[in-house]
Amino acid sequence: MSSVQQARETLGARLRELRKQANLTGLELSRLAGWDNSKVSRYEHGKQTPSEKDIRVWCAITDAPLHLPDLIASVRNLEAAYLEWKRIQSAHAQKKTGQVETSSKFIRGYDPDLIPGLLQTSDYATAVLRECIEFIGIPDDLESAVKERIERQKILRKGPRRFHFLIAEQALYTTVGDDQIMLAQLEQLLIYVRSSRMALGIVPRMSLFRAPVVNFLMYDRSLVKIETVSAGLSVTQPREVELYDKAFQILAGQSAKGDAARELIQGAIEARSV
């Protein structure tokens, strides 16, 4: 079951709960809303995504105005959630991501396997995007995509933005390209650890499992982006964004910083220099 379908069913369950709290049957709600009898069932069982207009009608009939903003955010999240990797990895997508980053004041990110895109060297980014293009089987615009990804990194040096990146220690050892590419990337991380414009933490391999998350980027407190094998997800629902914020705080508390982070990075460098 896709994450989009799960989100649709979760939304349906919330709508069903509001209907029951209002002591209405599905047929009664349909009649009051002027809908055909099957519409309520399709929404509640996750067979169809309701429109924003229908969400407003639902909340009005069930006397649940306080739930309206969160439910509207859920619908918008569903509409925008499933983006093909063909768009995610394209130069156009890299440019659109750059626009989101430019408009943000605080950018946070966590990656369990790879170095985050904003911290990648050109060679590392080229190796990552080449593998994605080959694996997914999308049109090859590698050169343009890498150029846009590197162009995005200018925000690390300009403007009033703050950055906080967390990288699992495993990402220091995941081989992207070859040893030469990895050594250059790890040396670059040592520079970032000393940066006054960002916080960089390494989550040790033996850390206790406390946050069930994959890679994600948080833009302020309004948007979270996640990349999966086949799609990119954009999370805007306030309750879900709060969960990612909670996960980030947990991981940040576990991470090594400053000298401790440098020791972990240096250990990865030494392992490849033997």
Side-chain angles (χ1 to χ4, degrees), residues 41-114:
S41 177
R42 293 199 303 272
Y43 287 166
E44 291 187 352
H45 290 89
K47 303 300 182 183
Q48 181 179 340
T49 301
S51 67
E52 292 186 26
K53 179 180 178 181
D54 286 350
I55 289 293
R56 296 180 189 279
V57 170
W58 197 292
C59 287
I61 293 175
T62 59
D63 192 26
L66 295 180
H67 292 270
L68 183 59
D70 204 32
L71 291 172
I72 291 293
S74 296
V75 169
R76 290 176 179 174
N77 184 50
L78 274 168
E79 290 173 343
Y82 209 77
L83 303 176
E84 294 182 12
W85 261 95
K86 189 175 293 185
R87 296 175 58 199
I88 292 297
Q89 298 301 335
S90 68
H92 176 66
Q94 294 291 326
K95 184 174 292 186
K96 289 187 67 175
T97 299
Q99 292 171 351
V100 173
E101 292 165 344
T102 300
S103 64
S104 302
K105 298 301 182 183
F106 187 27
I107 298 175
R108 292 176 287 172
Y110 167 71
D111 203 304
D113 301 303
L114 298 173

Side-chain angles (χ1 to χ4, degrees), residues 131-146:
E131 289 297 329
C132 291
I133 288 171
E134 181 178 345
F135 182 80
I136 304 299
I138 60 178
D140 188 347
D141 64 347
L142 177 61
E143 184 176 347
S144 297
V146 172

